[in-house]
Amino acid sequence: MVSIARKNLFHDKIRFVVAQAGITLAVVLITIQIGVYLAFLANTSVLIDHTEADIWVTARGLENFDFGRPFSEKKLYEVREVPGVLWADKYMLAFGYWKTPTGSQEMVQMVGFNPETLVGAPWDIVRGNPQDVKYFNSVFYDQAETNRLGDLPIGAETEINNRRVRVVGITRGARSFIQSPYIFTSFKNVLNLSFINKGNTVYVLAKVAPGYSVQEVKQRLAENLKDVDVYTTDEFSKKTRRYWTVNTGMGTALLAVALLGLVIGTVIVGNTIYTATTEHLKEFGTFKAMGASNWNLYKIIIEQALVNSVVGYGMGMFVSYWVIQAMRKGNLQVLLPWPVLVGVYVVTALMCLGSSVLSIYKVTKIDPALVFKS
Amino acid sequence: MACHDAQTVVRLDRVSKTYGSGESAVHAVQDVSLELAPGRFYILMGPSGSGKTTLLMLMGCLLKPTSGSVFLFNEEVSALGEGKLPRVRREKVGFIFQGFNLFPALTALETIEATLNLKGLRGEAAREKARELLTHLRLEKRFHHLPEDLSGGEKQRVAVARALAGDPPIILADEPTGQLDSKSGRLIVEVLRDLAHNEGRLIFMVSHDTRILGLADRILEIDDGRLKDQS
């Protein structure tokens, strides 16, 4: 069967290239921005999402994970007494300054966990044993941060807040998005290295015992504990994500660029398909005169849009791949699970189909008399 | 309402077509009654703006009359809804235009094949039929040429082949020689006449060209929307 759509599309090569450039640009912008957005989202709550705790107890009025404030560690014992709590542990977070091999200072976030229970410990270890943070001022850092912290091997020494620390391990996948790398160590070491007073903690993490619902235990904790907030892990993760995406406008800005890509693509594709249609109105009219229904003509325009979308998506993904590789070399993260890639194609197809609406309207309105004008 | 003559393919019964209304109304066709038989070659003459093309469009189900009735093979097509007219045109009518109206991106063979696809013939059968039609019109060496690579006469022969795709019994031609030199124009008219005489089709052609009148079986003349003289 002759495909008038494809013949039309490939006949005018310049127009086809212009349309493809528009779609490719749109696909690249949408893909990269969504990828950066997802990586951003994942990083904002990466530590919350990787703990095995069901419940987080935080200082009252806390807006997000990264700005955790200390409160009395006596709360830990109160938590443990509430029915339905299987276990509970302290969890520390504090800012500090890391001395790089060049002598400069980098701000870091120290994450303190209990090395005996390993609650809140790093989950993907490249080298070292997380229990080794029990030793005085021993730390883990993430391999993605070597550009900023220095490529320090196990056993290397440096300083945090002018106090000597020793590298005992290297992690993977624990990047902070707020530009302050995570340094994992013990709860006790964080107290040594930071300015947080002894007898305080920043978080209390709790696990719900089998047979109890998380909401039920959370409710009990909220009723029994004073001057703190209680969240389920999912709630705290969402709260943190919402803070960084909505409250700061960072997520909105990323999505706005993706939306801009969509608009640019729609305008360029719409313009090229519309021009291609208006230039062939007589031929479309001829088909109509010969008995083609409006639907026969719509199919031609829709096929043009879909072929455009498939080719443009392919080219867009090809370009995106190389852009992402370059971004990763520059230490920027992009997260693109396959459902997102499918979703980007659906958006591309909808964009191309949406761009055809004017053309379809134009074809519907073709005056039969047009075909008789020379 | 049945046709008066069983041999009548097209019948117009007091057909009028008015564009606009009130003082700006244009009466393009006025009270035209006409019966056209198969196997005959008709030529409709008339000055510009006399209503020739409107009459052609009424017969081709591209326009509905303001009053009166149009019958094709005893079926009152002027009473059919818009949704049913494409089927009538697909099955019964082929069009030839002065400006060829060929898709620039389609070769001669693809043009005919696409038309056959539209009319329900697919695959190799459509391709074979397209080859047959183009060969019949002596275009066997132009199968894979785009319109831009064809002469005016060749383009019009492709358009004739396209009109014949699907084997319609009625061919309506709107000044098909208008953009051709006299030799090519005469060739096209001879082809059309042969289609009437040898294949039994009704050929209805609008033309300004007085040199080809001798080839017609019947000449009709229209002026100010009225059929003036029928010879």
Side-chain angles (χ1 to χ4, degrees):
Chain A
M1 195 165 162
V2 177
S3 168
I4 296 171
R6 270 174 279 161
K7 290 280 175 185
N8 258 351
L9 216 50
F10 300 131
H11 181 67
D12 190 337
K13 292 180 178 58
I14 292 174
R15 178 179 290 140
F16 182 65
V17 167
V18 170
Q20 287 309 309
I23 300 167
T24 302
L25 176 67
V27 168
V28 171
L29 279 175
I30 294 167
T31 306
I32 301 291
Q33 290 302 308
I34 290 177
V36 169
Y37 178 73
L38 290 179
F40 164 80
L41 270 186
N43 281 352
T44 56
S45 60
V46 66
L47 295 190
I48 304 170
D49 299 334
H50 280 91
T51 59
E52 63 271 48
D54 296 319
I55 288 173
W56 287 66
V57 179
T58 75
R60 169 74 32 104
L62 196 68
E63 286 294 332
N64 69 77
F65 171 82
D66 296 276
F67 298 164
R69 293 195 308 274
F71 57 88
S72 171
E73 68 175 33
K74 286 178 185 168
K75 297 290 178 195
L76 171 66
Y77 309 109
E78 293 178 35
V79 170
R80 283 176 176 163
E81 284 170 8
V82 170
V85 172
L86 182 64
W87 52 251
D89 222 331
K90 294 178 289 183
Y91 192 64
M92 188 62 92
L93 188 70
F95 284 94
Y97 289 97
W98 171 282
K99 188 176 180 184
T100 70
T102 62
S104 64
Q105 301 274 332
E106 279 283 350
M107 185 176 270
V108 294
Q109 281 179 288
M110 292 177 280
V111 178
F113 60 93
N114 182 344
E116 289 176 10
T117 63
L118 293 178
V119 172
W123 55 94
D124 193 353
I125 306 300
V126 179
R127 279 194 293 279
N129 181 346
Q131 288 179 323
D132 288 348
V133 299
K134 67 187 174 194
Y135 299 115
F136 184 71
N137 287 0
S138 298
V139 299
F140 270 65
Y141 72 94
D142 197 276
Q143 67 173 11
E145 306 290 2
T146 52
N147 286 349
R148 299 175 62 194
L149 303 180
D151 191 4
L152 300 174
I154 303 277
E157 292 191 344
T158 184
E159 292 176 7
I160 295 178
N161 291 342
N162 297 320
R163 289 171 191 160
R164 189 163 297 280
V165 295
R166 186 162 166 270
V167 174
V168 293
I170 295 170
T171 64
R172 183 164 41 209
R175 292 194 65 190
S176 165
F177 85 102
I178 63 164
Q179 302 302 312
S180 297
Y182 291 128
I183 302 296
F184 292 94
T185 186
S186 70
F187 183 90
K188 198 187 270 182
N189 284 334
V190 174
L191 285 176
N192 288 337
L193 294 166
S194 72
F195 304 104
I196 294 174
N197 295 327
K198 287 190 172 52
N200 283 328
T201 184
V202 172
Y203 297 108
V204 170
L205 309 187
K207 185 76 178 173
V208 172
Y212 291 87
S213 84
V214 174
Q215 280 298 338
E216 176 191 356
V217 176
K218 178 205 149 186
Q219 193 61 38
R220 270 190 210 155
L221 285 166
E223 287 165 3
N224 285 289
L225 302 176
K226 288 180 181 168
D227 302 324
V228 288
D229 288 332
V230 184
Y231 301 100
T232 66
T233 297
D234 187 48
E235 286 168 354
F236 193 44
S237 178
K238 281 181 181 160
K239 185 179 175 71
T240 296
R241 288 177 186 215
R242 196 180 309 116
Y243 176 83
W244 290 112
T245 53
V246 180
N247 294 22
T248 65
M250 289 163 80
T252 312
L254 287 168
L255 286 181
V257 177
L259 194 64
L260 185 67
L262 190 65
V263 172
I264 290 172
T266 305
V267 169
I268 294 177
V269 180
N271 186 45
T272 47
I273 290 181
Y274 183 72
T275 312
T277 305
T278 50
E279 281 184 10
H280 291 118
L281 272 187
K282 265 198 163 180
E283 290 81 19
F284 280 120
T286 303
F287 263 86
K288 215 168 174 178
M290 290 187 307
S293 61
N294 277 336
W295 178 240
N296 290 126
L297 304 185
Y298 299 160
K299 280 196 286 187
I300 295 173
I301 294 169
I302 289 170
E303 189 184 341
Q304 280 182 0
L306 290 177
V307 171
N308 261 326
S309 73
V310 169
V311 178
Y313 176 78
M315 287 175 59
M317 281 298 145
F318 177 77
V319 174
S320 296
Y321 174 80
W322 292 108
V323 172
I324 290 167
Q325 295 308 310
M327 288 172 75
R328 283 183 176 151
K329 278 183 184 165
N331 221 14
L332 280 168
Q333 278 188 298
V334 180
L335 191 63
L336 286 169
W338 70 263
V340 171
L341 299 179
V342 173
V344 171
Y345 175 69
V346 172
V347 169
T348 308
L350 289 176
M351 174 182 80
C352 291
L353 289 172
S355 305
S356 306
V357 169
L358 272 181
S359 298
I360 285 174
Y361 177 77
K362 191 83 180 173
V363 162
T364 306
K365 296 292 173 191
I366 288 177
D367 177 5
L370 180 78
V371 297
F372 290 101
K373 289 173 186 161
S374 60
Chain B
M1 184 186 277
C3 284
H4 295 171
D5 182 349
Q7 282 296 300
T8 299
V9 171
V10 176
R11 186 162 74 86
L12 277 66
D13 186 17
R14 305 199 65 182
V15 167
S16 295
K17 179 66 186 177
T18 302
Y19 296 108
S21 59
E23 288 184 4
S24 62
V26 176
H27 304 288
V29 171
Q30 297 183 66
D31 203 26
V32 169
S33 292
L34 184 64
E35 292 186 1
L36 304 174
R40 303 202 69 191
F41 180 37
Y42 299 89
I43 292 182
L44 176 66
M45 307 286 290
S48 292
S50 58
K52 302 188 298 293
T53 301
T54 298
L55 191 61
L56 201 73
M57 289 165 71
L58 288 164
M59 290 164 64
C61 306
L62 291 170
L63 274 184
K64 286 200 166 193
T66 309
S67 63
S69 303
V70 178
F71 295 87
L72 299 187
F73 293 96
N74 293 333
E75 185 179 15
E76 189 180 355
V77 291
S78 50
L80 294 177
E82 286 295 333
K84 291 185 176 172
L85 294 177
R87 191 258 313 160
V88 176
R89 292 200 295 269
R90 265 198 311 274
E91 292 175 359
K92 296 194 165 76
V93 187
F95 289 96
I96 302 167
F97 310 99
Q98 183 180 354
F100 319 126
N101 297 2
L102 301 174
F103 261 107
L106 299 185
T107 64
L109 194 64
E110 288 163 348
T111 297
I112 312 305
E113 203 182 332
T115 310
L116 288 163
N117 291 161
L118 175 72
K119 299 193 175 191
L121 199 62
R122 308 276 155 120
E124 189 50 41
R127 183 148 282 230
E128 192 49 47
K129 184 67 184 173
R131 284 196 194 98
E132 188 187 304
L133 284 168
L134 289 170
T135 304
H136 181 61
L137 288 155
R138 287 178 281 160
L139 287 164
E140 60 273 19
K141 291 182 179 170
R142 296 288 185 267
F143 282 173
H144 303 294
H145 285 58
L146 292 170
E148 64 192 23
D149 300 322
L150 298 173
S151 69
E154 288 170 333
K155 282 180 200 169
Q156 199 55 293
R157 276 187 280 155
V158 173
V160 172
R162 180 180 61 189
L164 292 173
D167 206 21
I170 303 164
I171 303 288
L172 303 176
D174 185 41
E175 302 196 40
T177 61
Q179 291 187 14
L180 304 180
D181 58 66
S182 59
K183 189 180 168 192
S184 301
R186 187 169 181 88
L187 183 67
I188 289 294
V189 175
E190 284 173 355
V191 166
L192 293 175
R193 183 198 57 188
D194 292 346
L195 288 173
H197 294 169
N198 300 339
E199 298 182 14
R201 298 177 208 271
L202 186 164
I203 310 291
F204 189 88
M205 183 176 118
V206 166
S207 182
H208 275 116
D209 191 349
T210 51
R211 291 170 298 180
I212 55 164
L213 294 181
L215 295 170
D217 295 319
R218 185 177 170 191
I219 299 162
L220 307 168
E221 198 174 346
I222 189 168
D223 197 8
D224 283 337
R226 292 181 187 279
L227 274 183
K228 275 174 59 180
D229 177 31
Q230 298 180 27
S231 58

